[in-house]
Amino acid sequence: MSVCQSCGACCAAFRVDFHPAELAGGNFAWDGGVPVNMTVRLTPNMVRMCGTDSAAPRCVALAGEIGQQVNCTIYHGRPSPCREFDVEHAACNRARQRHGLAPL
């Protein structure tokens, strides 16, 4: 299991905004794209993953318990912000700290 599969803190710490072209059927969708019903449209050129704008954010696609075992239910079709996020980013440790997890 990767460190990300035992963490998930990033999926419950940040807003996830991206271009609608990454939605299912879009020109820049990976492996089927992000299901439209998992997003909310912000502008004609921006959508957000549901749950990531809450006071206690948690992406609608996240399954499992943070810090234990998690998985992304749309992993292969996940949007670019999720694809680009990495444990090397300082934001990773900020998210882990927010959930009471030790830094990497």
Side-chain angles (χ1 to χ4, degrees), residues 2 7 21 30-36 38 41 47 49 53-54 57 59 63 66 75 84-86 92 94:
S2 78
C7 181
W30 288 275
D31 196 38
V34 177
V36 175
M38 289 186 160
R41 185 166 295 271
V47 294
M49 288 299 298
D53 199 19
S54 302
C59 181
I66 295 168
Y75 184 79
E84 295 165 5
F85 198 85
D86 190 281
C92 173
R94 285 196 310 273

Side-chain angles (χ1 to χ4, degrees), residues 44-92:
N45 294 314
M46 187 74 60
V47 294
R48 177 172 292 154
M49 288 299 298
C50 290
T52 66
D53 199 19
S54 302
R58 183 180 171 109
C59 181
V60 67
L62 181 64
E65 187 177 339
I66 295 168
Q68 300 296 315
Q69 185 174 0
V70 296
N71 72 291
C72 176
T73 61
I74 60 167
Y75 184 79
H76 294 292
R78 70 195 185 281
S80 55
C82 303
R83 291 176 179 278
E84 295 165 5
F85 198 85
D86 190 281
V87 297
E88 299 296 320
H89 292 161
C92 173

Side-chain angles (χ1 to χ4, degrees), residues 2 5 10 13 18 20 37 42 44 54 59-61 67 69 79 96 98 100 102:
S2 78
Q5 291 172 309
C10 61
F18 55 98
N37 66 341
L42 301 175
S54 302
C59 181
V60 67
Q69 185 174 0
R96 290 178 62 82
R98 182 176 188 168

